[in-house]
Amino acid sequence: MKIYLNGKFVERENAKVSVFDHGLLYGDGVFEGIRSYKRVVFRLKEHIDRLYESAHSLILTIPISRKEMMAAVVETLKKNKISDGYIRVVVTRGEGDLGLDPKKCYNKPTIIIIADKIVLYPKELYANGMEIITVPTPRNTPEAVNPQIKSLNYLNNIFGKIEATHCGYNEAIMLDHMGFVAECTGDNIFLIKNGVLITPSQGILKGITRDAVLSLAAKLKMKTEVRLVSRHEVFNADECFLTGTAAELIPIIKVDGRVIGEGKPGKDTKKLLVSFQNLTTKDGVKY
Ligand code: PXG
């Protein structure tokens, strides 16, 4: 496996960063998870734009242009002969002296690109639907660590994931600080009620898959609502599903013990899934 590390390709065993890298010491950095399908990097531009926007919020200047970053992602896929894969782009504050002040760093952010595979949930759950719960840890407040920043500081989500798996579930709903449904630990959430597609508006990572599904729904002439969502609404939805680059689109059939709709993947969910699968090989950068 060839890893892109600061402009060079190195073997996996040589792909190493300093123990003084502030990405490791403080979680000071940003990342993206991207998928390619049949030699098309799905929504690459959108992912790279989000990466640079996350970095901008942290006053982390990425030393290469967006165009060069996109080319580096494609080159990493080609070098590894991957046509269907998962790409992890990481940019850290780089090496520095101890102390959390980014000014202690040597102004040389670390850039890493890994091209590999990812399997998130067992295949049968995509066909039969998955059961999830709500976990006690609330999602970070936007005033503190805005969930819109895809930073290397993922402990909030990891807490949620630990609580979910501790109870025997793969994924979980995290609420916002007011008790509204925000998102899952690594996925966005959608409901369908009376033919209307509904997804939370705030306190979330603005998912690229979420955005794709909202556009597909509009094309399918489905009404969409992006707004505050309560757990009560989730419990009483006709259909529910999650979206994410790693998860893609997975139906949810039970939430906190409440059966959703008929307790099996719903017809509109299936329709959106088919449209999404058709989109993945079209909406992106070919290589
Ligand atoms: N919310 C959160 C908190 C996420 O981390 C999403 C929503 C979905 O966003 P996208 O843009 O991917 O549709 C994510 C993304 C992993 C993994 O390793 C997690 C994500 C992406 C890739 C890999 O578990 N989460």
Side-chain angles (χ1 to χ4, degrees):
M1 183 188 286
K2 296 262 192 289
I3 313 285
Y4 174 100
L5 180 61
N6 299 324
K8 294 198 180 84
F9 284 96
V10 294
E11 287 299 332
R12 183 183 175 137
E13 55 273 24
N14 299 323
K16 293 177 181 161
V17 296
S18 164
V19 294
F20 288 94
D21 192 304
H22 278 216
L24 173 69
L25 289 175
Y26 302 107
D28 188 355
V30 294
F31 78 103
E32 274 300 318
I34 310 170
R35 263 190 199 267
S36 71
Y37 297 89
K38 295 190 179 145
R39 304 185 84 82
V40 175
V41 192
F42 181 63
R43 294 206 161 187
L44 177 57
K45 181 179 182 302
E46 289 81 348
H47 278 285
I48 298 305
D49 282 344
R50 187 170 68 183
L51 180 79
Y52 280 69
E53 286 180 12
S54 293
H56 183 68
S57 260
L58 302 185
I59 316 190
L60 168 54
T61 308
I62 302 175
I64 61 174
S65 70
R66 293 180 192 210
K67 233 175 147 179
E68 287 168 326
M69 187 66 88
M70 284 171 60
V73 167
V74 166
E75 195 53 32
T76 309
L77 282 161
K78 281 186 179 167
K79 276 254 184 321
N80 288 284
K81 298 189 171 57
I82 291 175
S83 57
D84 294 81
Y86 175 74
I87 305 105
R88 169 63 53 104
V89 182
V90 181
V91 182
T92 80
R93 188 77 66 180
E95 198 177 338
D97 297 334
L98 294 177
L100 59 85
D101 185 354
K103 290 203 173 78
K104 287 182 177 285
C105 294
Y106 312 146
N107 237 336
K108 202 175 158 287
T110 304
I111 305 178
I112 302 162
I113 305 174
I114 305 167
D116 201 357
K117 299 260 171 220
I118 192 167
V119 179
L120 203 60
Y121 304 126
K123 219 175 165 190
E124 59 272 19
L125 293 181
Y126 286 87
N128 304 330
M130 185 163 78
E131 183 174 348
I132 58 172
I133 55 166
T134 307
V135 285
T137 299
R139 195 72 177 92
N140 279 332
T141 59
E143 312 89 288
V145 184
N146 196 322
Q148 275 189 251
I149 302 168
K150 204 163 166 64
S151 82
L152 294 183
N153 192 323
Y154 243 54
L155 274 183
N156 180 228
N157 314 61
I158 291 168
F159 268 123
K161 195 69 154 183
I162 288 170
E163 288 158 357
T165 58
H166 177 73
C167 296
Y169 298 88
N170 292 308
E171 182 55 297
I173 291 176
M174 299 183 80
L175 304 177
D176 70 10
H177 59 293
M178 282 160 32
F180 288 102
V181 172
E183 58 180 335
C184 290
T185 70
D187 305 309
N188 291 116
I189 187 164
F190 282 88
L191 319 177
I192 298 170
K193 182 75 174 178
N194 299 326
V196 181
L197 183 71
I198 305 160
T199 196
S201 50
Q202 47 193 55
I204 59 167
L205 179 77
K206 296 275 169 68
I208 309 279
T209 322
R210 171 183 176 273
D211 188 62
V213 166
L214 283 170
S215 310
L216 286 172
K219 272 199 193 124
L220 293 170
K221 305 263 185 284
M222 260 180 110
K223 199 170 167 246
T224 59
E225 291 179 5
V226 179
R227 56 166 173 79
L228 293 176
V229 173
S230 69
R231 282 172 76 221
H232 177 74
E233 276 187 282
V234 177
F235 297 156
N236 291 288
D238 299 326
E239 301 181 30
C240 178
F241 62 88
L242 310 182
T243 62
T245 295
E248 299 176 295
L249 198 158
I250 184 159
I252 300 300
I253 50 163
K254 225 181 199 189
V255 178
D256 295 324
R258 280 80 160 180
V259 174
I260 307 300
E262 291 173 8
K264 54 182 206 237
K267 68 171 188 351
D268 287 334
T269 301
K270 285 189 199 158
K271 214 192 277 176
L272 285 165
L273 176 59
V274 170
S275 310
F276 177 73
Q277 285 165 339
N278 287 332
L279 187 72
T280 53
T281 51
K282 294 188 187 88
D283 188 3
V285 173
K286 287 194 179 63
Y287 60 97

